[in-house]
Amino acid sequence: MKAHDQMYIDGAWRPAAGQDTIAVVNPADERIIAHVPAGTAEDVDAAVRAARAAFPAWASTPPAERAARLSALADALAARKDTLAETITAELGSPLPLSQAVHAGVPVLVAASYAELAARHAFEERIGNSTVLLEPVGVVGAITPWNYPLHQIVAKVAPALAAGCTVVLKPAEDTPLTAQLFAEATEAAGLPPGVFNLVTGLGPVAGQALAEHEGVDMVSFTGSTAVGKQIGGTAGAAVKRVALELGGKSANVILPGADLAKAVNVGIANVMTNSGQTCSAWTRMLVDAERYDEAVELAANAVTKYVVGERVGPLVNAAQQARVRGYIARGVEEGARLIAGGPDAPLATGFYVNPTVFADVTPDMTIAREEIFGPVVSILRYEDVDDALRIANDTVYGLAGAVWAATDEEAVAFARRMDTGQVDINGGRFNPLAPFGGYKQSGVGRELGPHGLAEYLQTKSLQF
């Protein structure tokens, strides 16, 4: 790897304009493992200028050639899979098997899917006496989070490149080493100088400068709803294209007649994955009154499998640990029944939180309404199917969810009435080509597959 104290701008590794750095901390043992540059507005400006200069040639590159570069990028990521997994474990704290299978594995599939899409996508069509062209938006400012550091980068950069856009990436300050490895992979893939650029730094400085820069045509952001509102306002004031993938408070609805044991066990596993640091996690488990006590018992048993320091890693930093422990304490204060876990720190070192399950949670409680972003499950009781739907939709969010029923048809009928962007039916598998994104305050736009590609294209019609 290149020195951690450099950024990747205009096809070259170079020092930052300033001297300030950001410490990268291993959340499992609290050791500083690296320092990266704290990028400034000057660094962002250099990166945007490079992306603007590279845009005309990249936009006019035939889609088949762009596809070849994306295929080479997927290969370069695959060749670095072990190093990527180890790096993600070091800076995020994810258990190594999860880093290998999900954090480093899935992005290779996503990158390869955009190589295929770029090669076969119809970038123009004939409608009546018009030829309709799909053209790249321009320079994209991509601002990514720390919870799935490589996946979120690839989910933005790959479709942008496939569309013919050029990119400036500002990754989360907690996980910048993964972004540096990704930059190396773009270099190995032979992307022309300026097509991809990396600026590390703090959100209020480098991120804001990127969102505000007049040379940026589109901002794609994943993170909290609060920050997304700020970025959306900034982009809107400049009439820029914006894509926002924000928070969630997803419902795991277990209908009468469903396989209760499977639904509860998979639901607990879903929230415990990545230590609960997943925006689409099914953090509200909804169970009918008749089987509620059985579900609570099943959940209490299921969560014992998730041992802290083994299957459940630390949270990303001390602030996140304190935040999640605060929510757990709030749940106890508001009268929820603690059946597993609790607010105490489980280990003396590392930013760990106990896998926690609450019963007797009501829809008005804080833990049922706000995104906790930790390994915390709330089990809510409903009286009938209409009551379950009301509770599921009673949230400002609408990112994901799950429905379990005796038949797929029954589950689909319920899912059609849910106000959310993605619903898993009876344990449906993740599909890297399906659109991912939310309703309501969970965001604007979609990622992955052809719908993700469409975010980076604009339409022109020629009449003749």
Side-chain angles (χ1 to χ4, degrees):
M1 174 182 273
K2 303 292 188 299
H4 291 309
D5 61 353
Q6 294 181 329
M7 300 183 183
Y8 187 69
I9 297 176
D10 202 18
W13 292 92
R14 51 188 272 184
Q19 300 298 315
D20 291 342
T21 61
I22 299 169
V24 183
V25 176
N26 184 325
D29 59 20
E30 304 180 41
R31 292 184 302 107
I32 294 175
I33 57 176
H35 288 84
V36 299
T40 64
E42 185 177 347
D43 297 305
V44 169
D45 182 64
V48 173
R49 288 178 182 277
R52 285 236 71 88
F55 174 68
W58 183 247
S60 62
T61 298
E65 292 184 27
R66 297 201 297 263
R69 297 279 66 78
L70 283 166
S71 182
L73 175 59
D75 291 342
L77 292 172
R80 291 162 172 77
K81 185 177 177 181
D82 290 343
T83 303
L84 282 162
E86 291 165 1
T87 300
I88 291 168
T89 292
E91 62 182 355
L92 177 63
S94 169
L96 187 58
L98 180 67
S99 294
Q100 292 169 330
V102 176
H103 285 291
V106 172
V108 175
L109 299 177
V110 173
S113 76
Y114 278 112
E116 295 176 7
L117 277 170
R120 60 180 171 81
H121 193 75
F123 288 95
E124 65 177 73
E125 63 177 330
R126 189 72 178 165
I127 301 178
N129 68 311
S130 300
T131 295
V132 179
L133 308 178
L134 298 179
E135 300 181 334
V137 169
V139 174
V140 174
I143 303 174
T144 57
W146 44 261
N147 60 326
Y148 288 90
L150 183 61
H151 171 70
Q152 295 289 358
I153 290 171
V154 172
K156 296 181 187 303
V157 176
L161 297 180
C165 299
T166 54
V167 180
V168 178
L169 170 68
K170 204 298 285 183
E173 50 264 35
D174 292 288
T175 54
L177 307 184
T178 299
Q180 290 179 335
L181 282 169
F182 177 82
E184 282 191 10
T186 67
E187 192 175 29
L191 287 179
V195 170
F196 171 81
N197 306 271
L198 168 67
V199 176
T200 55
L202 300 174
V205 180
Q208 184 172 343
L210 185 58
E212 293 177 346
H213 200 290
E214 62 182 10
V216 171
D217 301 295
M218 174 180 174
V219 180
S220 180
F221 168 80
T222 297
S224 72
T225 295
V227 177
K229 288 179 179 179
Q230 296 174 3
I231 289 176
T234 298
V239 199
K240 293 182 182 182
R241 178 81 67 89
V242 64
L244 303 172
E245 198 268 280
L246 308 176
K249 194 69 182 174
S250 301
N252 180 22
V253 183
I254 306 173
L255 296 176
D259 184 334
L260 185 64
K262 182 178 180 181
V264 170
N265 278 279
V266 173
I268 293 294
N270 174 276
V271 179
M272 296 304 140
T273 298
N274 212 40
S275 305
Q277 299 171 126
T278 304
C279 53
S280 57
W282 311 333
T283 53
R284 295 180 298 145
M285 184 181 293
L286 277 58
V287 186
D288 62 284
E290 186 174 335
R291 297 194 295 174
Y292 186 82
D293 290 341
E294 183 184 356
V296 168
E297 183 178 354
L298 287 167
N301 290 331
V303 79
T304 61
K305 303 173 186 176
Y306 297 90
V307 179
V308 171
E310 296 178 13
R311 293 186 71 178
V312 177
L315 300 190
V316 71
N317 55 40
Q320 185 67 13
Q321 180 195 41
R323 180 177 183 271
V324 174
R325 291 175 63 191
Y327 271 114
I328 296 172
R330 183 77 175 271
V332 173
E333 291 169 5
E334 293 185 0
R337 176 161 56 99
L338 195 63
I339 65 169
D344 296 335
L347 299 176
T349 302
F351 306 129
Y352 293 93
V353 170
N354 287 306
T356 298
V357 180
F358 282 105
D360 300 337
V361 178
T362 57
D364 61 325
M365 290 182 179
T366 302
I367 58 172
R369 304 205 68 80
E370 298 184 13
E371 185 176 40
I372 297 173
F373 226 61
V376 182
V377 178
S378 295
I379 309 179
L380 294 87
R381 180 186 287 104
Y382 67 83
E383 297 303 322
D384 55 31
V385 172
D386 288 338
D387 189 39
L389 182 68
R390 178 188 62 79
I391 295 170
N393 287 340
D394 183 22
T395 171
V396 299
Y397 299 111
L399 186 57
V403 182
W404 303 81
T407 65
D408 287 350
E409 291 76 15
E410 182 185 359
V412 168
F414 187 95
R416 287 181 181 276
R417 297 196 290 161
M418 293 176 71
D419 299 333
T420 191
Q422 189 172 82
V423 185
D424 290 351
I425 303 299
N426 285 330
R429 293 170 297 138
F430 171 74
N431 180 0
L433 292 177
F436 180 79
Y439 287 19
K440 300 187 280 190
Q441 292 189 28
S442 284
V444 176
R446 293 295 181 268
E447 292 186 331
L448 303 179
H451 291 81
L453 177 61
E455 293 293 330
Y456 300 92
L457 294 167
Q458 55 189 349
T459 308
K460 176 187 291 180
S461 62
L462 310 178
Q463 287 65 246
F464 57 93

